[in-house]
């Protein structure tokens, strides 16, 4: 049996939580702000949204 390929214990990207797909409707201007902020701070959209939610009083 080959030692390559297939699932291996501890292999792969580690989970940080539960993934749920959402759709967000924003104006073109707001999307541009989001994209600009993410580019400037080297963040994904998910990282930006997660940080905004974590810093809120939800």
């Amino acid at each position: 049996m080959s030692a390559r390929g297939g699932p291996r214990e501890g292999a792969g990207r580690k989970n940080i939580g539960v993934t749920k797909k959402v759709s967000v409707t924003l104006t073109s201007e707001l999307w541009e702000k989001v994209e600009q902020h993410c580019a400037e701070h080297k963040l994904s959209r998910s990282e930006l949204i997660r940080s905004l939610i974590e810093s809120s009083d939800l």
Side-chain angles (χ1 to χ4, degrees):
M1 178 168 230
S2 176
R4 296 180 184 223
R8 295 179 317 279
E9 179 100 16
R13 187 176 296 179
K14 306 303 179 227
N15 278 340
I16 62 168
V18 177
T19 299
K20 293 194 177 193
K21 304 291 182 184
V22 296
S23 178
V24 178
T25 303
L26 300 174
T27 63
S28 296
E29 292 79 16
L30 285 177
W31 275 121
E32 183 58 37
K33 285 183 178 184
V34 167
E35 297 298 332
Q36 184 68 35
H37 184 86
C38 288
E40 288 174 3
H41 298 279
K42 295 184 171 84
L43 296 171
S44 68
R45 281 184 233 129
S46 291
E47 289 171 320
L48 173 61
I49 293 167
R50 190 168 35 254
S51 70
L52 291 169
I53 292 170
E54 287 173 345
S55 66
S56 75
D57 289 332
L58 286 179

